[in-house]
Amino acid sequence: MNTTNMETVEKSRLAYKRGAEALANAAFLNQFRGSKICVVGCTGVIGQTLLKALGSANERFGADRISIRGIARTVDLARMPYADSIEYVQTAAGSAECVESAARSDYVIYVAGTTSDYRSKPLATMETQTSNLHHILNASNNYAGFSFVSSARVYGRSLPDMPIGEDFVGTVVAMDLDNIYDCAKRLGESICLWHYVNRETAVNAVRLTNVYGLNERKHSRTMVNDFISQAFTNQEIRIMGHPASIRNHISEIDAAQGILRSLLKGSKGQA
């Protein structure tokens, strides 16, 4: 890596650090003081970013700290942030232990589920976004806020040069492998809506797209990771998609901030 590239990388790392510090010190996080927050699916890029922000905020809250609980099927404490102050529960989403832990919380962020490997785990993908989500929502009527992390892929297909807005009506191909993930998220959102309509649960959905950041796993099959891998391996980047395709990308820090704000200000029963 030449000097210019190294300087660019260092500037990016510094900007990331400043962004993370700004989120941890954001005034709106004060509204979580003394509350209990549970992150279901805490080992992914978004889950770890959320825990880092909340754990860092706790350093200035003193005795009025947030009680933070992270849940995931597999937890390597050596790789997790604030392992000495965050309670980690190693169990599957939807298990009795997971449901009980979430039900004791004031706020729940549900970010569990496969993303890049949904084609190899079709049933697990559907189950995580439907029945497991339902069990946790059904476990309590006292959630102060519940955010289901969904995806912009619920909109289905669009033309390569067509931007997607909130009122976009996508086209769904009846039989397609991508439906395993896309439809799982649609069903998850509908289950959230059912709980809001029938039980008045304070739940909303947050639709993300193309999240990137330092917490991204090295072997995750995402576009950014593919580009980095190609650059290191082949010294060139090949874009395989349509040349007119328009894609938005969001930093994991911005995504985490949006999710945390949605817990406090998000419209119930909506995305």
Side-chain angles (χ1 to χ4, degrees), residues 11-29 45 48-60 81-82 212-215 251-257 260:
K11 287 180 180 179
S12 297
R13 289 185 180 277
L14 181 59
Y16 178 93
K17 181 179 179 181
R18 288 173 176 169
E21 291 174 349
L23 175 56
N25 291 303
F28 81 90
L29 292 183
V45 54
Q48 288 203 46
T49 306
L50 287 164
L51 294 181
K52 285 181 179 180
L54 294 171
S56 183
N58 262 349
E59 294 181 347
R60 61 185 173 87
Y82 297 96
Y212 68 91
L214 295 182
N215 288 317
S251 162
E252 61 192 19
I253 296 174
D254 292 333
Q257 179 175 181
L260 290 169

Side-chain angles (χ1 to χ4, degrees), residues 155-159 162-171:
Y155 295 107
R157 305 294 177 86
S158 65
L159 296 175
M162 180 183 294
I164 296 176
E166 288 293 328
D167 56 350
F168 176 79
V169 179
T171 301

Side-chain angles (χ1 to χ4, degrees), residues 114 117-128 180-181 184:
T114 58
D117 57 349
Y118 61 88
R119 292 193 180 193
S120 63
K121 301 177 180 178
L123 294 182
T125 300
M126 297 297 293
E127 184 179 44
T128 303
I180 295 169
Y181 181 82

Side-chain angles (χ1 to χ4, degrees), residues 199-213:
R199 304 177 65 243
E200 299 184 353
T201 305
V203 59
N204 57 50
V206 180
R207 293 171 182 159
L208 299 180
T209 179
N210 298 317
V211 179
Y212 68 91

Side-chain angles (χ1 to χ4, degrees), residues 79-196:
R79 299 174 61 88
M80 298 305 295
Y82 297 96
D84 58 337
S85 60
I86 294 177
E87 178 188 353
Y88 287 102
V89 180
Q90 183 168 295
T91 187
S95 70
E97 187 177 11
C98 174
V99 172
E100 181 182 351
S101 295
R104 296 199 307 266
S105 306
D106 301 305
Y107 298 94
V108 175
I109 300 171
Y110 192 90
V111 67
T114 58
T115 52
S116 59
D117 57 349
Y118 61 88
R119 292 193 180 193
S120 63
K121 301 177 180 178
L123 294 182
T125 300
M126 297 297 293
E127 184 179 44
T128 303
Q129 306 305 304
T130 54
S131 59
N132 293 351
L133 172 65
H134 170 72
H135 292 323
I136 294 175
L137 281 166
N138 203 50
S140 175
N141 279 326
N142 299 316
Y143 294 126
F146 192 117
S147 284
F148 169 62
V149 178
S150 185
S151 169
R153 288 177 57 166
V154 298
Y155 295 107
R157 305 294 177 86
S158 65
L159 296 175
D161 58 348
M162 180 183 294
I164 296 176
E166 288 293 328
D167 56 350
F168 176 79
V169 179
T171 301
V172 178
V173 179
M175 183 178 288
D176 192 282
L177 290 177
D178 284 345
N179 283 342
I180 295 169
Y181 181 82
D182 302 359
C183 290
K185 288 297 186 182
R186 294 187 193 105
L187 287 171
E189 289 193 12
S190 297
I191 287 172
C192 290
L193 179 60
W194 185 92
H195 279 273
Y196 169 70

